[in-house]
């Protein structure tokens, strides 16, 4: 699909919001939409899409449980700043509206000078609004997001009416790989648990590491973790979260500032089980044929949660989705390099310093 402008009629939905108005017709392009993701936890916002790389076209269908306006976009940081956005909806008289825009901040998006998103269908039924549209995979102008085989932050918002207003909590984001998508297995027998630091107040310092050593919920037999999600009130205020499995020598729970006092030497808790850092996605699935083992003989194990804060009090941690339906393989994280510990010190005033490490690959296969 070549980049081209769409000439549409503008009308004012309200005194302050200009949107694109058009008469929908049956599109001759009817692509299959094989990929589906819920963008929110409650399943109120879902996205279907499909693409044809030789034709340079990608098609989306956004479904939201609302009878008001709906919005979807691509954002470099997961917020409104610099986002490439489309907004649409169905008015009470059955007419429709659609806008290809961009955002410079937490304000009403601006209409793109060149309209490169093509509306295919807009409908409203049974309390849900469906917006189907397509665009070129490659960006057509400076306001269009670049879609590649890497992950991209998909944002959404919606309102209860057709007046474009602040969305409050009716918004969210999800990181997806649109062109290299691996659908998740839908387990029928699943549960989840969270390891979080609730309402932790950070000292008045620029940066702070805090650790909790605890056990996971007791499971009578082996289970597999198949997906891990960060639980963060303010994602821009937490630098990273790590969960380590401890050696059998650790047999009690405690907490404190990492790498100091009782937590000065943490070499007994350095087996990385899960991690999240700035720029990370909102969901980390394991490979389809593998899961991280928990429960059974591992019930007595202790784990260390480490959170690097740059912020005041909030709730942060990780959510683990698990199932008793075991996959073919156990999953784990391979850590290479030297352990960063209090005994690893670069001499002061050194002009050069070399580190050496060895790794036996005799057991690899």
């Amino acid at each position: 699909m070549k980049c081209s402008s769409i000439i549409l009629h503008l009308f004012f939905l309200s005194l302050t919001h200009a949107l694109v108005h058009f008469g929908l017709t049956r599109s001759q392009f009817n692509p299959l939409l094989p990929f589906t993701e819920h963008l929110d936890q409650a399943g109120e916002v879902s996205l279907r899409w499909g693409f044809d790389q030789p034709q340079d076209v990608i098609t989306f269908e956004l479904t939201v449980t609302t009878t008001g306006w709906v919005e979807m976009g691509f954002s470099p940081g997961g917020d409104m700043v610099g986002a490439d956005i489309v907004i649409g909806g169905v008015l009470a008289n059955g007419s429709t509206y659609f806008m290809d825009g961009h955002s410079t901040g937490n304000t009403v998006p601006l209409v793109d000078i060149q309209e490169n998103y093509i509306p295919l269908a807009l409908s409203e039924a049974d309390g849900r609004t469906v917006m189907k549209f397509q665009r070129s995979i490659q960006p057509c102008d400076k306001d269009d997001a670049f879609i590649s085989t890497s992950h991209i932050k998909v944002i959404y918002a919606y309102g209860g009416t057709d007046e474009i207003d602040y969305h409050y909590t009716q918004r969210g984001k999800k990181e997806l790989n649109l062109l290299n998508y691996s659908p998740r297995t839908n387990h029928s027998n699943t549960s989840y648990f969270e390891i979080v630091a609730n309402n932790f107040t950070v000292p008045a310092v620029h940066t702070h590491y805090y650790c909790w050593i605890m056990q996971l919920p007791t499971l009578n037999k082996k289970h597999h973790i198949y997906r891990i999600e960060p639980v963060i009130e303010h994602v821009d205020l937490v630098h990273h979260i790590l969960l380590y499995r401890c050696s059998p020598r650790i047999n009690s729970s405690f907490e404190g500032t990492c790498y100091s006092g009782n937590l000065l030497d943490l070499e007994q808790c350095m087996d990385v089980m899960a991690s999240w850092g700035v720029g990370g996605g909102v969901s980390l699935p394991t490979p389809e044929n593998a899961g991280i083992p928990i429960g059974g003989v591992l019930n007595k194990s202790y784990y260390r949660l480490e959170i690097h804060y740059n912020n005041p009090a909030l709730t942060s941690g990780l959510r683990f989705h698990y199932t008793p339906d075991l996959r073919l393989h156990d999953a784990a994280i391979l850590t290479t390099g030297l352990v960063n510990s209090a005994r690893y010190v670069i001499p002061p005033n050194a002009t050069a310093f070399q580190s050496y490490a060895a790794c036996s690959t005799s057991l690899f296969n």
Side-chain angles (χ1 to χ4, degrees), residues 61-139:
E61 184 179 87
L62 179 71
T63 302
V64 184
T65 304
T66 185
T67 55
W69 60 270
V70 298
E71 172 188 294
M72 185 187 123
F74 309 106
S75 167
D79 53 18
M80 291 289 287
V81 179
D84 179 18
I85 291 172
V86 290
I87 300 176
V90 181
L91 296 174
N93 62 8
S95 62
T96 57
Y97 55 93
F98 183 88
M99 183 188 82
D100 173 12
H102 62 279
S103 177
T104 58
N106 294 322
T107 59
V108 177
L110 305 174
V111 179
D112 283 1
I113 296 176
Q114 181 174 318
E115 302 279 341
N116 299 313
Y117 284 76
I118 299 175
L120 300 179
L122 268 160
S123 62
E124 184 181 293
D126 300 323
R128 297 188 302 172
T129 297
V130 180
M131 179 173 65
K132 186 176 181 181
F133 57 95
Q134 67 180 206
R135 56 157 279 182
S136 297
I137 295 175
Q138 299 299 317

Side-chain angles (χ1 to χ4, degrees), residues 109-357:
L110 305 174
V111 179
D112 283 1
I113 296 176
Q114 181 174 318
E115 302 279 341
N116 299 313
Y117 284 76
I118 299 175
L120 300 179
L122 268 160
S123 62
E124 184 181 293
D126 300 323
R128 297 188 302 172
T129 297
V130 180
M131 179 173 65
K132 186 176 181 181
F133 57 95
Q134 67 180 206
R135 56 157 279 182
S136 297
I137 295 175
Q138 299 299 317
C140 293
D141 59 48
K142 64 180 181 62
D143 295 319
D144 289 349
F146 181 72
I147 299 176
S148 69
T149 54
S150 298
H151 283 77
I152 189 170
K153 292 179 175 65
V154 179
I155 62 174
Y156 68 87
Y158 57 96
T161 69
D162 288 302
E163 182 177 355
I164 313 299
D165 201 352
Y166 186 66
H167 39 62
Y168 295 98
T169 60
Q170 297 174 152
R171 61 185 172 89
K173 61 185 175 181
K174 193 162 193 176
E175 193 165 280
L176 298 174
N177 192 324
L178 297 172
L179 302 184
N180 190 19
Y181 180 71
S182 296
R184 292 199 298 256
T185 298
N186 291 322
H187 294 281
S188 59
N189 188 6
T190 66
S191 301
Y192 74 87
F193 63 89
E194 295 179 349
I195 298 181
V196 298
N198 287 310
N199 298 318
F200 178 74
T201 301
V202 179
V205 294
H206 177 67
T207 186
H208 186 69
Y209 290 79
Y210 204 81
C211 289
W212 294 260
I213 293 182
M214 79 289 282
Q215 288 183 296
L216 303 186
T218 299
L219 300 172
N220 293 329
K221 65 177 183 178
K222 179 180 176 180
H223 288 61
H224 267 163
I225 293 171
Y226 63 90
R227 188 167 74 250
I228 302 171
E229 299 172 343
V231 179
I232 305 174
E233 284 184 340
H234 302 286
V235 70
D236 55 328
L237 300 178
V238 174
H239 185 269
H240 72 253
I241 302 174
L242 290 164
L243 184 69
Y244 301 89
R245 182 182 285 115
C246 301
S247 76
R249 292 179 57 183
I250 303 299
N251 55 18
S252 61
S253 300
F254 54 95
E255 64 178 80
T257 302
C258 303
Y259 313 106
S260 65
N262 291 335
L263 292 165
L264 178 62
D265 186 358
L266 295 172
E267 290 187 4
Q268 298 300 318
C269 298
M270 295 301 293
D271 182 8
V272 180
M273 180 177 170
S275 63
W276 178 90
V278 172
V282 297
S283 177
L284 175 63
T286 62
E288 286 295 302
N289 63 345
I292 301 172
I294 58 170
V297 298
L298 296 173
N299 272 334
K300 294 182 179 180
S301 297
Y302 280 78
Y303 298 79
R304 174 169 67 92
L305 179 69
E306 174 185 305
I307 302 181
H308 179 190
Y309 290 102
N310 293 314
N311 60 289
L314 80 166
T315 298
S316 305
L318 297 168
R319 178 183 297 122
F320 298 85
H321 296 261
Y322 64 96
T323 176
D325 303 327
L326 299 183
R327 298 181 172 186
L328 182 62
H329 301 290
D330 288 346
I333 295 177
L334 175 65
T335 303
T336 61
L338 296 176
V339 175
N340 182 13
S341 71
R343 293 193 295 271
Y344 182 68
V345 179
I346 299 176
N349 301 316
T351 57
F353 184 76
Q354 292 182 323
S355 297
Y356 298 90

